[in-house]
C-alpha cells in the first residue's frame, strides 16, 4: 500500500524535476520505475490514478475535500477492482505530490447530498438495474461491497443467467475460474449490477458462443497477483477470462477500464471484437491465436499494444491504429499471415519494445507475412524509419 511521507516527497520531487512527464504516459512510466524500482504494486497504483484521468483533473484544483477524494477513490476501486484503502492511498499520494490541500473535514453538506439515493438525486456511481435472483447453485463469499461468486455448481444449461442477487444480497463480482470447464454452456448473460469478472472465469468453456456483458462492468480479469508463476522469472501468468472459449463475437462495454492479459487468447472462433474507447492498453496475449478474428474496433484512447497481443490472428487483414498510440511491442502482430496493411500514426515512438524474449519480431518473420504487407504512415514518421530498417513496404497514409 502507498503510505508515508517519504513516498509523497519522492513523487513530489519527480513532478517538480520532470513536469512534462505528466503529459507523456510512457515517460511517466519510465520515471516511476526509476523512482520506485522495487515496488511494482506501488507503480501500478500510481499509474491507475493517472490513466483514470484523475491526475489531470487534480492539476486544475487547489484542494481536495472529502467528497472529491471519495469520488476519485471510488472510480479506481470500481474500475480496476482495487481495495478501498489502496485506492484512497494512491489518490492521496498524488494529491500531496501536486501540493493540493486535503480538506477532508469540509464539504460534508455537499457529500451528504451527493450520496442520497432518494428519487431525483441518485448517487452518480449507481446505475439502474433490475434484481435478478437465480435458482441455480453457486458457491459464494461476502465482501465489504457485496457477494463474489466463487463457483457454479449447477448443470451446464444452454443459457445461463448470472444473477445480481443471491439470497437477497447483491452480487458484485464473478470470481476466478467460477465457470471453468463448463463446456455445455452456449450463452452467458451477466446481469446488470455486476462489476468484475475474474481471471479464467470462463476458461475452456468450449461451447460458449455468446456472452452479454452489462453496462455496469468495470473490469475483465484481475490486477491481483493470482495464478501460477512462470517457469522463468517472477512474473505472474494470468489465465484469461474467456481463454479457449468458443466465443464468436464480443462487445466490451464502455465502462470497462481494464481488460487483463490473455482475456480472449485461443478463442479460435472469435470473428469480431469491439473494445471500449477509454481502454489504454491491449494487454499481453489478449487476442493471441484468435485464428478467425477479422474485425477489431480499437479504443480511441489506446496508448499501447502489448507483447503478442494479436499474435497468430491468421485472417486479420487490415488494422488502423488510432492517433495517440505510442508503443507497439514485440510480437504484437507476429504470425498474422493475412495482414495486408497497418496504419501507424505519428504518435508511435516505439516498435518492438516490451520485456519479451527478444525472439519475436513485431510483425513476424518475413516468410510469415502477407506477400503485400504494407505499413501505412506519414512521411518522416518513426513508422517510416522502422519500415525502411526492417525492409517492409511502406506507403503514404
Amino acid at each position: 500500500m502507498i503510505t508515508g511521507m517519504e513516498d509523497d516527497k519522492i513523487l513530489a520531487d519527480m513532478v517538480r524535476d520532470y513536469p512534462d512527464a505528466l503529459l507523456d504516459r510512457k515517460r511517466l512510466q519510465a520515471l516511476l520505475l526509476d523512482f520506485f524500482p522495487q515496488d511494482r504494486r506501488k507503480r501500478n497504483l500510481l499509474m491507475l490514478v493517472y490513466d483514470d484521468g484523475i491526475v489531470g483533473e487534480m492539476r486544475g484544483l487547489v484542494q481536495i475535500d472529502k467528497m472529491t477524494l471519495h469520488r476519485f477513490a471510488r472510480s479506481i476501486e470500481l474500475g480496476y477492482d482495487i481495495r478501498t484503502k489502496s485506492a484512497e492511498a494512491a489518490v492521496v499520494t498524488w494529491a500531496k505530490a501536486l501540493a493540493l490541500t486535503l480538506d477532508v473535514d469540509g464539504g460534508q453538506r455537499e457529500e451528504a447530498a451527493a450520496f442520497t439515493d432518494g428519487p431525483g438525486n441518485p448517487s452518480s456511481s449507481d446505475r439502474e438495474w433490475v434484481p435478478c435472483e437465480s435458482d441455480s447453485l453457486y458457491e459464494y463469499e461476502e465482501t465489504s461491497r457485496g457477494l463474489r461468486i466463487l463457483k457454479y455448481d449447477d448443470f451446464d444449461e444452454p443459457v445461463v443467467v448470472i444473477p445480481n442477487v443471491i439470497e437477497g444480497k447483491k452480487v458484485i463480482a464473478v470470481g476466478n475460474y467460477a465457470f471453468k470447464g463448463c463446456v455445455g454452456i452456449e450463452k452467458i448473460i451477466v446481469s446488470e449490477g455486476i462489476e468484475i469478472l475474474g481471471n479464467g472465469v470462463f476458461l475452456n468453456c468450449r461451447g460458449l458462443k455468446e456472452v452479454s456483458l452489462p453496462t455496469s462492468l468495470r473490469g475483465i480479469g484481475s490486477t491481483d497477483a493470482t495464478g501460477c508463476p512462470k517457469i522463468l522469472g517472477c512474473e505472474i501468468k494470468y489465465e484469461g477470462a474467456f481463454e479457449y472459449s468458443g466465443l464468436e463475437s464480443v462487445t466490451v462495454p464502455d465502462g470497462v477500464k481494464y481488460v487483463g492479459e490473455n482475456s480472449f487468447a485461443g478463442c479460435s472462433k472469435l470473428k469480431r471484437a469491439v473494445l471500449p474507447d477509454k481502454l489504454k492498453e491491449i494487454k499481453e496475449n489478449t487476442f493471441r491465436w484468435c485464428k478467425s478474428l477479422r474485425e477489431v474496433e480499437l479504443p480511441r484512447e489506446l496508448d499501447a499494444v502489448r507483447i503478442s497481443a494479436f499474435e497468430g490472428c491468421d485472417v486479420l487483414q487490415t488494422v488502423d491504429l488510432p492517433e495517440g498510440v505510442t508503443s507497439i511491442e514485440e510480437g504484437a502482430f507476429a504470425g498474422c499471415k493475412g495482414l495486408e496493411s497497418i496504419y501507424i500514426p505519428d504518435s508511435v515512438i516505439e516498435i518492438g519494445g516490451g520485456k519479451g524474449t527478444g525472439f519475436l519480431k513485431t510483425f513476424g518473420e518475413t516468410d510469415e507475412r502477407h506477400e503485400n504487407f504494407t505499413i501505412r504512415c506519414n512521411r518522416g514518421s518513426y513508422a517510416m524509419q522502422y519500415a525502411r530498417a526492417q525492409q517492409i513496404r511502406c506507403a503514404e497514409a
Side-chain angles (χ1 to χ4, degrees):
M1 185 183 299
I2 300 175
T3 56
M5 289 299 295
E6 183 178 354
D7 292 335
D8 305 333
K9 291 179 180 178
I10 291 173
L11 189 60
D13 289 344
M14 189 196 78
V15 171
R16 182 196 65 224
D17 295 339
Y18 305 96
D20 292 344
L22 297 183
L23 302 176
D24 185 339
R25 185 180 188 277
K26 194 171 186 64
R27 176 66 167 151
L28 178 60
Q29 277 186 312
L31 286 170
L32 288 177
L33 181 59
D34 290 341
F35 279 78
F36 301 98
Q38 303 300 322
D39 200 329
R40 180 181 179 184
R41 176 173 173 77
K42 188 176 296 182
R43 298 195 304 269
N44 288 344
L45 284 170
L46 291 172
M47 282 304 304
L48 291 181
V49 179
Y50 178 85
D51 285 341
D52 208 55
I54 293 171
V55 173
E57 189 170 345
M58 282 183 179
R59 297 180 71 194
L61 303 176
V62 294
Q63 72 173 25
I64 292 184
D65 57 27
K66 187 175 182 180
M67 179 181 69
T68 305
L69 173 62
H70 178 88
R71 176 167 63 84
F72 287 161
R74 183 73 169 162
S75 180
I76 299 298
E77 179 186 359
L78 296 182
Y80 304 96
D81 196 21
I82 300 298
R83 293 181 179 180
T84 303
K85 289 184 179 180
S86 296
E88 288 180 350
V91 171
V92 168
T93 299
W94 268 113
K96 291 181 177 179
L98 295 172
L100 301 185
T101 302
L102 294 174
D103 182 19
V104 294
D105 295 324
Q108 292 180 348
R109 181 178 302 173
E110 291 83 357
E111 181 188 25
F115 293 101
T116 298
D117 292 327
N121 194 20
S123 168
S124 61
S125 63
D126 290 339
R127 290 181 177 271
E128 291 295 329
W129 56 275
V130 178
C132 173
E133 290 268 14
S134 175
D135 295 330
S136 296
L137 300 177
Y138 292 93
E139 295 177 17
Y140 59 89
E141 64 180 358
E142 192 164 357
T143 73
S144 60
R145 290 169 49 205
L147 301 185
R148 178 189 292 116
I149 291 175
L150 299 177
K151 188 177 181 182
Y152 176 69
D153 282 334
D154 210 343
F155 293 102
D156 291 1
E157 301 292 339
V159 179
V160 172
V161 178
I162 301 179
N164 52 28
V165 174
I166 296 178
E167 296 185 357
K169 297 179 180 179
K170 182 179 178 180
V171 176
I172 198 75
V174 186
N176 298 347
Y177 310 110
F179 287 81
K180 178 181 177 180
C182 293
V183 298
I185 298 176
E186 298 177 6
K187 180 178 180 178
I188 290 281
I189 300 172
V190 183
S191 294
E192 196 66 47
I194 293 175
E195 298 175 2
I196 301 293
L197 298 179
N199 295 327
V201 61
F202 303 113
L203 180 67
N204 292 331
C205 291
R206 295 190 300 273
L208 182 62
K209 300 177 181 178
E210 183 181 354
V211 63
S212 175
L213 300 174
T215 59
S216 57
L217 196 65
R218 295 292 177 267
I220 297 175
S222 173
T223 56
D224 294 336
T226 57
C228 300
K230 293 180 178 179
I231 295 175
L232 299 175
C234 59
E235 293 186 12
I236 301 300
K237 179 182 185 298
Y238 297 97
E239 291 186 297
F242 295 91
E243 191 169 357
Y244 294 113
S245 71
L247 273 187
E248 297 179 355
S249 177
V250 64
T251 297
V252 181
D254 288 339
V256 172
K257 299 177 181 179
Y258 181 88
V259 177
E261 298 174 8
N262 303 288
S263 285
F264 304 100
C267 293
S268 60
K269 298 180 180 179
L270 185 66
K271 298 176 182 178
R272 183 174 186 266
V274 179
L275 300 175
D277 280 341
K278 293 188 177 298
L279 197 67
K280 301 293 184 181
E281 299 179 356
I282 300 179
K283 292 283 189 179
E284 181 176 340
N285 302 330
T286 297
F287 293 102
R288 193 181 191 188
W289 301 320
C290 290
K291 296 183 178 297
S292 300
L293 188 65
R294 292 184 177 276
E295 181 184 357
V296 180
E297 289 191 22
L298 297 174
R300 293 182 182 178
E301 298 184 18
L302 184 65
D303 179 74
V305 183
R306 299 299 181 195
I307 295 172
S308 297
F310 292 93
E311 182 185 351
C313 293
D314 289 347
V315 299
L316 193 62
Q317 293 184 341
T318 182
V319 173
D320 290 334
L321 296 178
E323 303 293 336
V325 172
T326 61
S327 177
I328 310 170
E329 291 189 350
E330 176 188 334
F333 296 94
C336 294
K337 299 177 182 178
L339 188 62
E340 296 180 12
S341 73
I342 182 170
Y343 168 68
I344 301 180
D346 292 355
S347 54
V348 170
I349 57 175
E350 180 185 56
I351 299 176
K355 297 180 179 180
T357 61
F359 293 111
L360 279 177
K361 291 186 177 180
T362 304
F363 302 101
E365 299 294 337
T366 303
D367 58 359
E368 294 178 328
R369 302 174 194 149
H370 190 280
E371 60 181 358
N372 295 320
F373 176 62
T374 302
I375 289 178
R376 291 177 286 119
C377 56
N378 293 318
R379 193 183 309 276
S381 65
Y382 176 85
M384 185 177 186
Q385 298 174 31
Y386 173 86
R388 291 280 188 261
Q390 297 297 319
Q391 299 182 44
I392 295 174
R393 179 187 290 116
C394 65
E396 187 171 0

